[in-house]
Amino acid sequence: MYPENMVSAGPYTLRRAVEADADAVARACDNPETARFLPVMPSPYTREDALNWINEISRATWEGGGADYAITDSDTGEFLGAAGLKPADRFGNSEVGYWVAPWARGRGVATAVTRALAELAFAQGVPRVALQADVENIASQRVACAAGFRREGVLRGASNRRDGSRADVAYFARLTSDPGDAIRPYLPFFPGDELTDGVVRLTPLTVADAGDYNATVSLPDIYMRRVPPEPPQYAESEERCRYARHRWLAGLAAEMAIRDAVTGEYAGDIQLANVVPPLDQAMIGYGLRPEFRGRGLVTRAVDLLADWAFTHTRLRRLIAGTAPDNPASQRVLERAGFVQEVLVKGLLPGPDGTRVDDIQWSRTR
């Protein structure tokens, strides 16, 4: 069904792997960063394992109606990685997969190859090509977007990791009727992956922040102001931090740590949530550990985040809410340029089945 050699992917060429590729395959696959997000595979990965992939696993893919290619530099012939299409399922759909050798990363190899393989599948009559990526594999999710694949959701526990654990998987797909244009994120990542004014620093939440995040949002004066007004379980906090960059790329929320810019200490959290693209609106929320209060860090964080949002995203309106008995948060918003709009009676759930009024604020572009 698929051609075995000389498939063009811009400056790269796809061809069937041969035994001469075995040393390069073994060197690439024995690298921890290459193997981290791949399904379970031998460790250490040897030349014999590479030959088994070339002569047995890859051959079975071809015989089943799929394709397994070596990625090479079109000018030099250098081996750069591997990519392929799974045999069609009972509905005629396929799935693209790839890995790129450490020495070839940062050159756009994966995006060019993924796009070329999707076009190849469509030319063969395949109506739909899927792409799966570990929720923590942000690089692969960015490849999917750049190659015109739309995010469709998350499959829980759908994949094995090399360490034997189960991984949630972000699921993307492209249809033959899709335009194939790169999908630009509604919420781009920070330039340099952080914002700072020299006093406060904002960085995306990661799983390494889970302990600090959970301890902070478990403080009564913080969780009682959130929805729902109850402390989270640690597993919930860990998942929130683990998913943070995935949710950011998906345009669902931008969640970050507030840090002391000098020491790097975790001071609290701040987020853009309840993102409504048709309105170009998002809600800002925050919480700070007691030992960092009284230094103006939250006001600086809100101001930094608002300026970034109005400069680097389509957002035109940021909203926030405070309880009437929370003057500290109200002062933060006033100092950060927010104006009070309206009091909504009984909007929020309170303790023991009560309802809490909400003062709503906004700052616009």
Side-chain angles (χ1 to χ4, degrees):
M1 178 178 175
Y2 295 111
E4 295 189 10
N5 292 297
M6 303 306 292
V7 176
S8 177
Y12 313 109
T13 297
L14 304 177
R15 59 162 173 79
R16 188 159 178 168
V18 296
E19 290 192 357
D21 298 319
D23 288 335
V25 171
R27 183 160 62 99
C29 290
D30 200 43
N31 179 278
E33 285 304 307
T34 302
R36 181 184 176 197
F37 295 118
L38 293 177
V40 175
M41 56 192 301
S43 178
Y45 194 97
T46 66
R47 188 174 191 276
E48 288 68 30
D49 296 316
L51 288 171
N52 182 60
W53 172 69
I54 293 167
N55 294 324
E56 301 296 332
I57 298 173
S58 179
R59 180 172 59 82
T61 299
W62 283 102
E63 291 176 352
D68 258 343
Y69 292 110
I71 308 169
T72 64
D73 185 291
S74 296
D75 293 329
T76 66
E78 181 185 19
F79 180 90
L80 304 177
L85 291 160
K86 287 187 176 181
D89 64 17
R90 62 194 179 99
F91 301 110
N93 305 315
S94 186
E95 181 182 323
V96 65
Y98 60 84
W99 55 263
V100 177
W103 56 85
R105 293 175 191 159
R107 295 163 49 178
V109 174
T111 299
V113 166
T114 299
R115 182 175 290 279
L117 287 177
E119 297 294 346
L120 179 63
F122 295 149
Q124 297 292 326
V126 174
R128 171 185 167 92
V129 178
L131 186 156
Q132 299 188 46
D134 188 301
V135 292
E136 293 185 71
N137 189 350
I138 302 303
S140 195
Q141 294 173 50
R142 295 178 82 169
V143 166
C145 294
F149 285 66
R150 295 185 187 178
R151 176 186 177 274
E152 296 186 338
V154 172
L155 305 179
R156 296 178 300 145
S159 178
N160 287 321
R161 286 179 173 158
R162 197 175 193 180
D163 63 7
S165 63
R166 299 292 294 181
D168 293 347
V169 170
Y171 200 85
F172 297 80
R174 183 173 157 191
L175 308 183
T176 187
S177 57
D178 289 341
D181 298 333
I183 297 173
R184 306 298 179 187
Y186 187 83
L187 299 175
F189 290 131
F190 291 154
D193 223 26
E194 67 173 35
L195 293 180
T196 185
D197 62 359
V199 176
V200 69
R201 183 160 61 97
L202 307 183
T203 61
L205 283 176
T206 71
V207 71
D209 297 316
D212 288 328
Y213 175 85
N214 186 73
T216 303
V217 298
S218 295
L219 296 170
D221 68 340
I222 290 182
Y223 75 72
M224 291 298 291
R225 306 290 189 186
R226 299 199 173 191
V227 180
E230 57 191 37
Q233 299 295 315
Y234 182 82
E236 296 172 342
S237 294
E238 183 180 42
E239 182 177 280
R240 191 177 193 94
C241 292
R242 189 181 301 278
Y243 270 66
R245 289 178 68 86
H246 164 76
R247 288 167 52 79
W248 192 318
L249 183 64
L252 301 174
E255 299 172 294
M256 60 217 76
I258 303 172
R259 301 186 185 279
D260 183 303
V262 176
T263 66
E265 290 181 272
Y266 183 101
D269 72 292
I270 187 169
Q271 67 282 147
L272 290 176
N274 296 351
V275 181
V276 187
L279 300 181
D280 288 330
Q281 174 181 286
M283 175 179 283
I284 198 165
Y286 43 80
L288 202 67
R289 292 165 57 183
E291 60 267 35
F292 288 93
R293 295 173 188 172
R295 295 165 50 184
L297 297 185
V298 173
T299 299
R300 287 176 174 273
V302 171
D303 212 30
L304 270 174
L305 186 54
D307 286 345
W308 169 82
F310 292 145
T311 302
H312 295 280
T313 81
R314 293 196 344 239
L315 289 169
R316 303 191 64 83
R317 175 178 164 85
L318 299 180
I319 61 173
T322 64
D325 64 349
N326 190 358
S329 189
Q330 294 167 30
R331 288 195 295 270
V332 165
L333 293 172
E334 288 173 342
R335 289 194 295 265
F338 282 69
V339 297
Q340 183 176 327
E341 290 190 329
V342 66
L343 172 67
V344 182
K345 302 290 287 184
L347 176 67
L348 303 176
D352 302 320
T354 60
R355 304 296 296 187
V356 178
D357 296 347
D358 185 55
I359 301 175
Q360 298 191 345
W361 304 72
S362 73
R363 176 173 163 181
T364 64
R365 188 190 294 265

